């Protein structure tokens, strides 16, 4: 109705429709985790490697016998759990981000390669994708780490090979569809190089779908890193990660459960928040759902 007055209540309902409370909570948590990761060196109360054997297994402040000296308690070597949690968040999020970026770069590159050359090149890429998808990645990771040893660089690269086949399939299908659209044909007729066509025109038009796919890979990498670190094949001491903390805390699950509860809560809330945000982005960006 023309001239209708939009009341504050109506505006609030419109905002809540566009940004549901659960999405806002997920976004708030992710922003908080990002802030913690960026300011880890400034906000950690103690050096995460500092030992205090006389203060080992102190409970957190909210449990009987706890003190404000260690808000989340101390571990089996007297190290401050909160300090280790803060540093673990930084390392786990950084590793997951780099691995997701590697996975996306590899997947998009091979997807575009298959879409451009078609024929035998496309069949070869699809065979590689099918081979990767048919093998359990956890078993491959265990074999590689057991055979080649472990380092943070190798571990990050290995995590980057997780999930690229899904992104490659999506990139190939979207690129083939985009090549049939008028803008790609027009640019090609003007003499643009394949690099320009795919990098300046096709990629920006399919980026929203690829971003949603990356939000699926990111939490998977966090869980995979946590699982491998839990088994002792992930991040190695003196570095610490969320999975590393859970792995060491399992020995004290009955006597000092706070050692693994804190990283477990962070893992669950972070992966859940990324998944919620990814679903919301899919609903907002996918034109077939509008």
């Amino acid at each position: 109705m023309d001239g209708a007055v939009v009341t504050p209540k109506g505006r609030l309902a419109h905002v809540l429709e566009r940004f549901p409370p659960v999405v806002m909570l997920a976004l708030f948590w992710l922003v908080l985790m990002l802030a913690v990761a960026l300011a880890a060196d400034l906000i950690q109360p103690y050096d995460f490697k500092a030992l205090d054997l006389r203060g080992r297994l102190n409970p957190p402040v909210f449990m009987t016998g706890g003190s404000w000296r260690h808000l989340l308690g101390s571990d089996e070597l007297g190290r401050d759990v909160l300090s280790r949690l803060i540093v673990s968040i930084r390392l786990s999020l950084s590793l997951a981000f780099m691995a997701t970026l590697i996975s996306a770069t590899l997947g998009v590159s091979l997807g575009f390669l298959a879409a451009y050359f078609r024929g035998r090149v496309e069949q070869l890429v699809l065979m590689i994708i099918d081979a990767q998808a048919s093998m359990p990645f956890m078993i491959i990771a265990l074999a590689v780490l057991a055979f080649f040893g472990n380092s943070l660089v190798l571990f990050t690269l290995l995590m980057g090979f997780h999930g690229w086949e899904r992104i490659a399939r999506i990139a190939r299908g979207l690129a083939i569809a985009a090549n049939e659209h008028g803008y790609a044909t027009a640019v090609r007729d003007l003499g643009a190089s394949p690099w320009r066509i795919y990098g300046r025109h096709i990629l920006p038009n399919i980026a929203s779908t690829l971003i949603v796919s990356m939000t699926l890979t990111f939490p998977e990498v966090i869980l995979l890193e946590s699982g491998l670190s839990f088994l002792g094949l992930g991040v190695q001491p003196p570095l610490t990660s969320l999975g590393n903390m859970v792995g060491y805390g399992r020995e004290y699950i009955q006597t000092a459960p706070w050692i693994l509860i804190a990283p477990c809560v962070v893992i669950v809330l972070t992966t859940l928040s990324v998944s919620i945000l990814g679903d919301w982005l899919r609903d907002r960006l996918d034109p077939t759902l509008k």
Side-chain angles (χ1 to χ4, degrees):
M1 179 177 174
D2 294 338
V5 178
V6 180
T7 63
K9 187 176 181 180
R11 284 195 294 266
L12 178 60
H14 180 68
V15 171
L16 291 177
E17 183 181 355
R18 289 175 56 87
F19 303 97
V22 67
V23 174
M24 297 300 294
L25 289 174
L27 187 59
F28 170 78
W29 177 261
L30 294 177
V31 171
L32 177 62
M33 290 298 97
L34 180 61
V36 169
L38 293 176
D41 292 331
L42 300 176
I43 63 177
Q44 56 177 316
Y46 304 95
D47 183 353
F48 74 99
K49 295 179 290 186
L51 306 181
D52 181 14
L53 296 180
R54 290 181 297 181
R56 61 190 301 269
L57 299 180
N58 281 335
V61 66
F62 51 83
M63 294 181 64
T64 303
S67 68
W68 288 98
R69 184 179 179 185
H70 298 290
L71 293 179
L72 294 181
S74 59
D75 65 7
E76 72 279 5
L77 297 177
R79 297 171 297 190
D80 184 59
V81 172
L82 177 59
S83 299
R84 292 181 64 78
L85 181 66
I86 291 172
V87 175
S88 296
I89 290 171
R90 178 178 63 183
L91 182 57
S92 292
L93 292 187
S94 300
L95 192 151
F97 175 78
M98 292 301 300
T100 302
L101 193 61
I102 293 172
S103 177
T105 302
L106 180 62
V108 171
S109 299
L110 289 177
F112 282 0
L113 189 69
Y116 177 72
F117 285 103
R118 307 301 298 270
R120 293 184 177 180
V121 174
E122 182 182 27
Q123 293 302 317
L124 177 61
V125 172
L126 292 176
M127 287 176 58
I128 297 174
I129 291 174
D130 291 337
Q132 171 71 15
S134 65
M135 293 183 290
F137 188 81
M138 179 66 82
I139 303 300
I140 298 174
L142 290 173
V144 171
L145 293 173
F147 186 79
F148 291 102
N150 196 355
S151 67
L152 187 58
V153 174
L154 175 61
F155 190 66
T156 304
L157 291 175
L158 183 61
M159 294 298 99
F161 278 92
H162 174 73
W164 68 265
E165 72 278 1
R166 179 174 56 229
I167 298 177
R169 288 183 186 276
I170 295 173
R172 169 186 166 271
L174 293 175
I176 291 175
N179 273 317
E180 304 299 326
H181 292 171
Y183 68 89
T185 304
V187 174
R188 187 180 300 107
D189 292 340
L190 290 174
S193 65
W195 290 101
R196 185 176 182 85
I197 295 172
Y198 280 84
R200 294 289 301 275
H201 299 280
I202 292 180
L203 182 59
N205 281 282
I206 67 174
S208 60
T209 305
L210 295 177
I211 290 173
V212 173
S213 300
M214 291 172 65
T215 63
L216 299 176
T217 303
F218 188 88
E220 290 176 356
V221 172
I222 293 179
L223 294 174
L224 185 61
E225 179 274 323
S226 300
L228 290 171
S229 295
F230 179 84
L231 296 174
L233 291 173
V235 176
Q236 300 297 309
L239 298 176
T240 180
S241 68
L242 296 174
N244 189 286
M245 290 185 67
V246 174
Y248 282 106
R250 74 180 185 272
E251 301 292 339
Y252 302 89
I253 189 170
Q254 292 183 331
T255 57
W258 58 84
I259 297 177
L260 60 80
I261 286 178
C264 284
V265 169
V266 172
I267 291 172
V268 171
L269 291 181
T270 302
T271 54
L272 178 62
S273 297
V274 175
S275 298
I276 290 173
L277 191 61
D279 288 340
W280 178 76
L281 285 174
R282 182 197 60 191
D283 295 339
R284 298 292 299 174
L285 300 177
D286 191 345
T288 62
L289 298 177
K290 295 181 179 180

